[in-house]
């Protein structure tokens, strides 16, 4: 099981790559929602440094035509789970990452205020790896066990909080497998 330092919000088993694209949560607002995303940069390509560069504002727009479209974005996520299961943490869990954008869940707008964002390295049109499902399940179980406001927190897709605007994690994300694995870790 992963270990999370509840005071710092850091996952001890993750590589730490701090993102400047975060800030404090609003007063008296604790995370109580977990949002699953997927990302690949360039689109459909895995294993490069594009995601880290995007989340740290160091994406070179000359490296790929698509990067010209997104290089000025200021976005982040709490965690990234790579195809091989490696976890990279960009934002402490107790801070607000800029991952959901315009969003609403259960009648509450501005999901970044009260959620944790987890990116899976992937694409809407491809299956995720067994290692990613396992690591995602382990991470969610650890968060639910360590952070009181996340105990029993719903886990939803970006498409659930931004319908019509976002499609990730997409139709290839196996929610049944994720829930089965999560039950094994909780």
């Amino acid at each position: 099981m992963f270990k999370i330092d509840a005071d710092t919000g850091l996952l001890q088993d993750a590589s730490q790559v701090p993102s400047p694209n975060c800030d404090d949560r609003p007063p008296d607002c604790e995370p109580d929602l977990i949002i699953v995303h997927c990302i690949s940069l360039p689109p459909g390509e895995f294993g490069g440094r594009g995601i880290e560069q995007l989340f740290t504002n160091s994406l070179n727009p000359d490296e790929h035509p698509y990067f010209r479209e997104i290089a000025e974005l200021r976005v982040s996520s709490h965690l990234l789970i790579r195809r091989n299961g490696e976890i990279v943490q960009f934002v402490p869990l107790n801070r607000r990452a800029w991952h959901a954008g315009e969003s609403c869940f259960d009648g509450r707008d501005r999901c970044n205020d009260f959620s944790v964002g987890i990116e899976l390295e992937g694409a809407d049109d491809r299956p995720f790896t067994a290692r990613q499902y396992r690591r995602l399940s382990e991470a969610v179980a650890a968060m639910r066990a360590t952070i009181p406001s996340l105990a029993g927190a719903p886990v939803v897709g970006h498409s659930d909080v931004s319908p019509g605007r976002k499609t990730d994690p997409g139709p290839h994300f196996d929610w049944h497998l994720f829930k089965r694995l999560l039950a094994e870790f909780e």
Side-chain angles (χ1 to χ4, degrees), residues 60-81:
N60 182 345
D62 297 324
E63 284 186 17
H64 189 276
Y66 182 69
F67 292 176
R68 286 186 214 115
E69 298 175 32
I70 63 168
E72 298 302 317
L73 292 177
R74 296 298 175 249
V75 295
S76 62
S77 185
H78 291 92
L79 304 176
L80 165 68
I81 303 176

Side-chain angles (χ1 to χ4, degrees), residues 46-96:
F46 308 129
R49 296 200 25 100
I51 300 168
E52 288 182 14
Q53 291 170 344
L54 176 66
F55 290 169
T56 58
N57 304 335
S58 59
L59 191 63
N60 182 345
D62 297 324
E63 284 186 17
H64 189 276
Y66 182 69
F67 292 176
R68 286 186 214 115
E69 298 175 32
I70 63 168
E72 298 302 317
L73 292 177
R74 296 298 175 249
V75 295
S76 62
S77 185
H78 291 92
L79 304 176
L80 165 68
I81 303 176
R82 294 206 171 269
R83 306 288 289 176
N84 65 3
E86 174 195 2
I87 296 185
V88 180
Q89 184 166 18
F90 296 97
V91 176
L93 300 173
N94 55 7
R95 299 205 71 210
R96 176 173 51 192

Side-chain angles (χ1 to χ4, degrees), residues 1-179:
M1 167 90 58
F2 290 114
K3 293 183 181 174
I4 297 172
D5 184 315
D7 293 327
T8 64
L10 297 179
L11 187 66
Q12 295 176 352
D13 299 321
S15 301
Q16 300 296 322
V17 179
S19 172
N21 304 326
C22 64
D23 56 7
D24 291 332
R25 294 184 190 277
D28 300 320
C29 187
E30 298 292 326
D32 58 14
L33 176 68
I34 299 168
I35 302 174
V36 178
H37 304 259
C38 75
I39 188 171
S40 57
L41 290 177
E45 295 182 25
F46 308 129
R49 296 200 25 100
I51 300 168
E52 288 182 14
Q53 291 170 344
L54 176 66
F55 290 169
T56 58
N57 304 335
S58 59
L59 191 63
N60 182 345
D62 297 324
E63 284 186 17
H64 189 276
Y66 182 69
F67 292 176
R68 286 186 214 115
E69 298 175 32
I70 63 168
E72 298 302 317
L73 292 177
R74 296 298 175 249
V75 295
S76 62
S77 185
H78 291 92
L79 304 176
L80 165 68
I81 303 176
R82 294 206 171 269
R83 306 288 289 176
N84 65 3
E86 174 195 2
I87 296 185
V88 180
Q89 184 166 18
F90 296 97
V91 176
L93 300 173
N94 55 7
R95 299 205 71 210
R96 176 173 51 192
W98 304 345
H99 60 96
E102 186 178 330
S103 53
C104 180
F105 180 76
D106 203 21
R108 297 164 65 195
D109 293 327
R110 299 176 50 92
C111 292
N112 287 342
D113 291 351
F114 57 91
S115 66
V116 169
I118 303 175
E119 294 276 1
L120 299 177
E121 185 178 34
D124 284 9
D125 62 347
R126 297 186 197 172
F128 295 92
T129 69
R131 190 73 177 137
Q132 285 178 298
Y133 285 109
R134 182 172 180 77
R135 300 293 271 182
L136 175 63
S137 301
E138 289 174 314
V140 169
M143 284 184 244
R144 285 178 164 180
T146 306
I147 301 169
S149 63
L150 289 173
V155 181
V156 300
H158 196 185
S159 58
D160 296 316
V161 300
S162 298
R165 190 174 71 80
K166 294 295 182 176
T167 59
D168 57 317
H172 289 280
F173 185 80
D174 189 337
W175 287 100
H176 296 292
L177 174 59
F178 164 67
K179 289 175 183 177

